[in-house]
């Protein structure tokens, strides 16, 4: 049986929910969010803080800045149990909240996008003026992945499209059973 994989994203349709700003370092400077999308451990200085862009109902899973997952300690415990070698949990303080939250930094990038099965694919070209992005994806609409290319990964970002976080079905199921708020799942398995 083929493992199914899901895009894990922030459920922006939760009524009255909070909105998180970009992570800030101890000096109040924005932390470059690409640090948490490279698929490797991130070195950060001092305690990090997540400001509230819009106060509201706190969520167990949210996204701050550009695709940086912020998780409540119960979500962090779940990932530590089910995929301990696949994530780095970086403690953060969320403004006006006493609970412990973490940046969920994914430590794997997998080349798995099934281009033929996606609705639309566009790649960066030299003409786009972004030489560091040439060859990577500029657009991935209706993303589908080839599960046979994933191997044993349970949580990862797809190569060339690091704004997406993917999880295996057992993680999705565990999050749903635990009643994790703020998480939205979309099946991306091409089978």
């Amino acid at each position: 049986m083929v493992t199914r994989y899901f895009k894990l994203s922030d459920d922006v349709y939760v009524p009255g929910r909070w909105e998180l700003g970009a992570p800030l370092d101890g000096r109040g400077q924005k932390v470059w969010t690409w640090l948490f999308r490279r698929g490797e451990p991130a070195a950060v200085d001092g305690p990090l803080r997540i400001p509230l862009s819009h106060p509201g109902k706190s969520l167990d899973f949210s996204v701050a800045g550009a695709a940086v997952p912020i998780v409540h300690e119960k979500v962090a415990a779940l990932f530590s149990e089910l995929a301990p070698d696949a994530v780095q949990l970086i403690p953060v303080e969320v403004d006006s909240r006493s609970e412990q939250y973490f940046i969920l930094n994914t430590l794997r990038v997998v080349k798995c996008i099934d281009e033929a099965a996606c609705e639309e694919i566009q790649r960066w070209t030299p003409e786009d003026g972004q030489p560091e992005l040439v060859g990577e994806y500029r657009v991935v609409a209706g993303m589908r992945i080839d599960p046979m290319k994933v191997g044993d990964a349970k949580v990862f970002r797809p190569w060339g499209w690091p704004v997406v976080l993917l999880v295996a079905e057992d993680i999705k199921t565990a999050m749903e059973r635990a009643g994790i708020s703020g998480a939205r799942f979309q099946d991306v398995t091409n089978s």
Side-chain angles (χ1 to χ4, degrees), residues 21-59:
L24 303 174
D25 65 17
R27 298 182 318 269
Q29 301 296 311
K30 284 186 181 179
V31 176
W32 291 103
T33 57
W34 58 266
L35 285 173
F36 311 113
R37 296 192 313 255
R38 297 183 307 178
E40 58 189 53
V44 294
D45 290 328
L48 298 181
R49 183 174 66 82
I50 307 295
L52 291 176
S53 296
H54 180 74
K57 178 183 176 185
S58 60
L59 300 173

Side-chain angles (χ1 to χ4, degrees), residues 9-189:
S9 57
D10 194 351
D11 188 351
V12 297
Y13 300 108
V14 174
R17 59 162 286 149
W18 67 5
E19 294 291 333
L20 302 179
L24 303 174
D25 65 17
R27 298 182 318 269
Q29 301 296 311
K30 284 186 181 179
V31 176
W32 291 103
T33 57
W34 58 266
L35 285 173
F36 311 113
R37 296 192 313 255
R38 297 183 307 178
E40 58 189 53
V44 294
D45 290 328
L48 298 181
R49 183 174 66 82
I50 307 295
L52 291 176
S53 296
H54 180 74
K57 178 183 176 185
S58 60
L59 300 173
D60 300 324
F61 179 90
S62 300
V63 173
V68 178
I70 306 298
V71 299
H72 185 273
E73 61 189 323
K74 65 183 174 182
V75 180
L78 230 159
F79 276 89
S80 289
E81 178 186 335
L82 297 175
D85 298 328
V87 296
Q88 174 189 21
L89 297 165
I90 303 168
V92 294
E93 294 177 9
V94 176
D95 282 357
S96 75
R97 300 300 195 268
S98 59
E99 303 93 350
Q100 181 62 63
Y101 286 88
F102 297 85
I103 289 175
L104 180 73
N105 183 28
T106 306
L107 302 179
R108 286 190 75 177
V109 173
V110 178
K111 194 167 189 172
C112 61
I113 293 178
D114 185 342
E115 293 184 15
C118 295
E119 289 174 19
E120 180 184 3
I121 294 288
Q122 292 179 18
R123 289 184 180 264
W124 290 94
T125 66
E127 293 76 30
D128 294 321
Q130 299 280 344
E132 70 281 5
L133 297 175
V134 169
E136 292 189 21
Y137 298 108
R138 183 177 186 158
V139 173
V140 178
M143 184 175 73
R144 306 303 283 170
I145 68 164
D146 180 348
M148 302 310 288
K149 293 182 178 179
V150 175
D152 64 349
K154 289 185 171 235
V155 55
F156 57 98
R157 292 190 186 263
W159 178 91
W161 195 238
V163 296
V164 172
L165 178 63
L166 301 177
V167 297
E169 188 169 19
D170 64 331
I171 291 179
K172 171 191 179 283
T173 301
M175 289 177 72
E176 289 172 338
R177 281 190 187 137
I180 301 303
S181 64
R184 186 173 183 167
F185 300 95
Q186 178 184 359
D187 191 342
V188 295
T189 311

